[in-house]
Structures are given as C-alpha cells and as structure tokens.
Amino acid sequence: MKKLFFGVTFTLFSFCIYAQSESALIINSHVQKLENAKDYTIAVANLMPDSLYNYRPVPAEMSFGEQLIHITQNLYWLTSTYIAEVPNPYHPTKDELSKLDKDSIINLVKDAYDFAISSISKMEIKTLSKEFKFSGENLNKYQFLNLIEDHQTHHRAQIVVYLRLNGIKPPKYIGW
C-alpha cells in the first residue's frame, strides 16, 4: 500500500511539473514571438520615409503611421486589460496622435512591445485559463495571447504591402 501511495503521489507530482513546464513553454514562446515581432515591426517602420507616414493605399484604409499607432494602442489595451489586469497606461488624445512624427511613432511602438513583453513574461502560469468577457464570448488568457499576436501581425502585414506599393523592399522576415 505504501508503494502504491508513493507511486500515485510521484505520478501526480510529475504531472503537475509537466503541466507547469508546458505552460511555461507557452508563455516563453509568446514572449519570444513578440520580441521577434517587435524587431520586425521596427525594421518595417524604419524603412518607410517620414514623408510617407501619411500614405494610405485607398482613402478607407489607415495610413502607414496610423497602422503603427493602432498596433501600439491594441498591444497596450489587450495586454494591460486581459494579461496584466492593470489599467491601460496609454491614453493619447487625437490631438497628441496627430502631431507624431516617424521617430515618435517608432518609439511608441517600441514602448508598447516592451510593455507587452514584460507583462507576458510576468504572467502567472496558473492564470492561463482565466476567462474574460470579450465581444460576447468568454476568452481565456491563452486565447488573448493568440489574439495579441494575430492582431499585430495582421496590421504589420498591411504596412509591408504599403512599403511595396511605394517601391520599398521590406526587410527579411523575422519570425519564430
């Protein structure tokens, strides 16, 4: 009976360690992905001349600079609200946003990625399954990690096209 108890205890302990290491792998993978995304986004942002930060391929689309600001705002919002569970630290006015130049926008992008990376790095593994109401559904933190990646990738892909439409070759992709 003693062997059975220790066997079951060891198995449960091993499973818990395995589950924690798998969760840590998930968090660390998302951190690495965002670090690479930051580098790639900054490389893309640096290639577009300041004079073309207001470029938009059609009137209905955001400009190049607006796309970057949108990425910034979304990184702050999703990460603060659903990952770190703290108030969103970034609340610019429309007037403040309208005065931003290329260098200011790039600095905002860097800060937003740094905030997201830091917040995700500090995330407690046990909170991955915590759910929040979002667009009429319940999403857990793991789903928000994916949403954060998907959203910034979607908008960065648009600005890569903006580069090409202006005859600028995008940088080599920095991925996983």
Side-chain angles (χ1 to χ4, degrees):
M1 188 65 145
K2 197 174 187 181
K3 284 184 182 182
L4 177 61
F5 172 77
F6 285 117
V8 169
T9 302
F10 178 77
T11 301
L12 288 173
F13 178 75
S14 297
F15 178 75
C16 289
I17 296 297
Y18 172 76
Q20 284 188 341
S21 66
E22 286 297 304
S23 297
L25 176 66
I26 290 167
I27 292 170
N28 293 338
S29 295
H30 281 276
V31 167
Q32 181 64 52
K33 180 67 177 139
L34 271 183
E35 287 171 347
N36 290 336
K38 174 188 172 186
D39 292 344
Y40 188 57
T41 304
I42 298 304
V44 170
N46 278 322
L47 282 176
M48 185 66 95
D50 194 13
S51 62
L52 292 175
Y53 259 60
N54 287 322
Y55 171 79
R56 63 183 78 229
V58 295
E61 291 295 324
M62 287 184 273
S63 71
F64 187 89
E66 288 168 339
Q67 292 275 10
L68 289 167
I69 291 168
H70 181 71
I71 290 170
T72 295
Q73 292 174 313
N74 190 268
L75 279 168
Y76 273 117
W77 170 56
L78 291 176
T79 305
S80 64
T81 305
Y82 302 105
I83 301 299
E85 299 182 61
V86 299
N88 185 342
Y90 185 65
H91 295 285
T93 66
K94 286 186 180 188
D95 187 50
E96 291 170 332
L97 293 175
S98 69
K99 295 176 183 174
L100 296 175
D101 64 0
K102 175 181 176 173
D103 291 336
S104 299
I105 292 172
I106 290 173
N107 285 330
L108 287 176
V109 171
K110 288 177 184 176
D111 291 345
Y113 274 104
D114 288 344
F115 176 80
I117 290 164
S118 175
S119 297
I120 293 168
S121 295
K122 295 173 187 169
M123 207 175 132
E124 291 187 36
I125 292 167
K126 65 184 177 186
T127 67
L128 273 175
S129 61
K130 184 173 182 179
E131 292 186 343
F132 301 86
K133 284 278 186 208
F134 186 82
S135 295
E137 296 181 53
N138 285 335
L139 297 180
N140 60 45
K141 285 190 179 193
Y142 181 72
Q143 291 169 303
F144 279 103
L145 291 173
N146 290 323
L147 177 58
I148 289 165
E149 284 185 15
D150 287 349
H151 182 268
Q152 57 87 35
T153 299
H154 165 75
H155 288 281
R156 189 186 56 237
Q158 289 178 306
I159 62 173
V160 166
V161 173
Y162 289 21
L163 288 178
R164 290 190 186 280
L165 290 170
N166 283 283
I168 301 167
K169 182 181 176 187
K172 184 178 181 215
Y173 180 67
I174 304 168
W176 325 111

